[in-house]
């Protein structure tokens, strides 16, 4: 299963689809920031800058390696593989949590009579099939999906303008400072923070340093804009109702009326939401497989596909009993738990990389002096 190198366009489209998969998480911020939720993406972008800078520096210092290769190069074979194992747990949790949210969404809003176990099997089975074909197959899909998704989002915004109430966002920035700090932390750790998964593609780009840096910054910039527009639409259409909705983005679309032949657009939006959520599960699943492949020194991850898929499926069924559990976890526990993976681990890796680089440079400097002394 030989994997070809990704172009910068493929990398960006994968990243944008992955980030748009956070659409089911919009309630986490809306419930805290309320009418100012559309401003939080810009605040969280500032909070996430140190992590983004660390990711870029690590890739530049180790241009031919992915996230797990960087860990080992910076921290050594033992500690590096341990950190990679922690990332495997992290990606497994992301895949399971997103699968649970998708399953609950489909069960509650689309297929009420269908068992959630069946939905889980279809979801994880589809991911296993796609990953079994390799990264080459995955890389061909995002561009088309992304164009269609942006078109649907733009169309829905245009037809909903007449129903928007712009007084819903007033007054601006009139809440307590801790509201913005807490909301920014939630979004920076869950929505933007999970972009650390893009480092699993760092060693697979045709363009090394500049290709990753430009692509990664573009993905983050687009994510901030996308999150802001999504939350703004929710606030303008729902007002304070967005603060109490489990799925404000979906509920906002339900309010859009479009003529008599098509009374609502939620079916189209549901399809888009499910597709991007599937992409988030798929990439997180892929990250888990790549981490385990690196730790176990396997040539391919195919032997891990079904066991890891089964683990994600079982975990997704057990981890969250309902949408309410997911909401509570996303607003209280997840931001702090995720910070350990997204900030602490990259910091440790960067420190290790800098120390190893300093020691190597010192040895190279001392070697000629030692040779002269012996002569």
């Amino acid at each position: 299963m030989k994997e070809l190198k990704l172009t910068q366009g493929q990398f960006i489209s994968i990243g944008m689809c992955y980030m748009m998969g956070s659409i089911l998480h919009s309630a986490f911020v809306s419930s805290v920031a309320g009418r100012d939720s559309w401003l939080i993406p810009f605040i969280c972008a500032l909070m996430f800058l140190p992590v983004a800078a660390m990711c870029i520096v690590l890739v530049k210092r180790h241009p031919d390696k992915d996230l797990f290769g960087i860990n080992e190069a910076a921290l050594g074979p033992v500690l590096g593989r341990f950190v990679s194992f922690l990332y495997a747990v992290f990606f497994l949790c992301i895949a399971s949590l997103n699968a649970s949210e998708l399953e609950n969404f489909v069960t509650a809003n689309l297929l009420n009579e269908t068992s959630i176990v069946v939905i889980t099997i279809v979801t994880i089975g589809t991911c296993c099939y796609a990953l079994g074909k390799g990264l080459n197959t995955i890389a061909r899909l995002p561009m088309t999906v992304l164009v269609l998704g942006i078109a649907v989002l733009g169309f829905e915004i245009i037809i909903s303008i007449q129903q928007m109430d712009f007084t819903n966002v007033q007054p601006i920035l009139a809440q307590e400072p801790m509201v913005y700090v807490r909301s920014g932390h939630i979004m920076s750790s869950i929505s933007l923070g999970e972009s650390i998964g893009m480092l699993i593609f760092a060693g697979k780009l045709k363009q090394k340093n500049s290709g990753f840096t430009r692509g990664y910054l573009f993905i983050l910039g687009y994510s901030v804009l996308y999150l802001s527009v999504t939350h703004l639409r929710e606030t303008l259409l729902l007002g304070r109702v967005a603060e109490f909705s489990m799925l404000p983005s979906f509920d906002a679309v339900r309010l859009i009326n479009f003529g008599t032949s098509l009374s609502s657009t939620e079916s189209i939006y549901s399809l888009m939401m499910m597709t991007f959520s599937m992409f988030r599960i798929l990439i997180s699943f892929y990250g888990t497989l790549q981490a385990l492949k690196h730790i176990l020194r396997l040539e391919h991850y195919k032997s891990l596909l079904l066991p890891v898929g089964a683990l994600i499926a079982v975990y997704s069924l057990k981890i969250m009993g309902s949408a309410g559990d997911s909401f509570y976890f996303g607003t209280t526990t997840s931001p702090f738990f995720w910070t350990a993976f997204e900030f602490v681990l990259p910091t440790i890796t960067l420190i290790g990389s800098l120390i190893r680089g300093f020691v190597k440079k010192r040895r190279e400097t001392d070697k000629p002096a030692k040779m002269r002394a012996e002569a």
Side-chain angles (χ1 to χ4, degrees), residues 318-339:
K318 298 293 183 180
I319 193 170
M320 296 295 171
S322 65
D325 294 337
S326 176
F327 176 81
Y328 180 78
F329 182 77
T331 54
T332 57
T333 307
S334 180
F336 298 96
F337 189 54
W338 264 213
T339 299

Side-chain angles (χ1 to χ4, degrees), residues 320-368:
M320 296 295 171
S322 65
D325 294 337
S326 176
F327 176 81
Y328 180 78
F329 182 77
T331 54
T332 57
T333 307
S334 180
F336 298 96
F337 189 54
W338 264 213
T339 299
F341 292 97
E342 298 163 355
F343 181 76
V344 178
L345 291 186
T347 301
I348 293 172
T349 305
L350 181 59
I351 292 172
S353 179
L354 293 173
I355 292 174
R356 280 182 174 265
F358 175 77
V359 171
K360 183 179 179 181
K361 187 176 180 180
R362 188 71 179 271
R363 286 176 179 173
E364 291 175 351
T365 303
D366 292 344
K367 189 175 181 181

Side-chain angles (χ1 to χ4, degrees), residues 262-279:
L262 182 62
S263 59
S264 63
T265 59
E266 64 262 25
S267 57
I268 302 173
Y269 191 74
S270 298
L271 181 60
M272 185 190 79
M273 184 182 291
M274 291 165 57
T275 302
F276 287 127
S277 295
M278 279 289 292
F279 243 99

Side-chain angles (χ1 to χ4, degrees), residues 88-114:
V89 174
F90 175 57
F91 289 126
L92 180 71
C93 289
I94 294 176
S96 300
L97 286 166
N98 280 271
S100 178
E101 289 171 355
L102 178 60
E103 292 153 10
N104 286 325
F105 169 76
V106 173
T107 303
N109 298 282
L110 301 175
L111 303 174
N112 308 83
E113 303 298 325
T114 304

Side-chain angles (χ1 to χ4, degrees), residues 75-96:
L75 302 172
V78 178
L79 184 56
R81 288 164 87 173
F82 175 71
V83 171
S84 293
F85 173 75
L86 294 179
Y87 276 119
V89 174
F90 175 57
F91 289 126
L92 180 71
C93 289
I94 294 176
S96 300

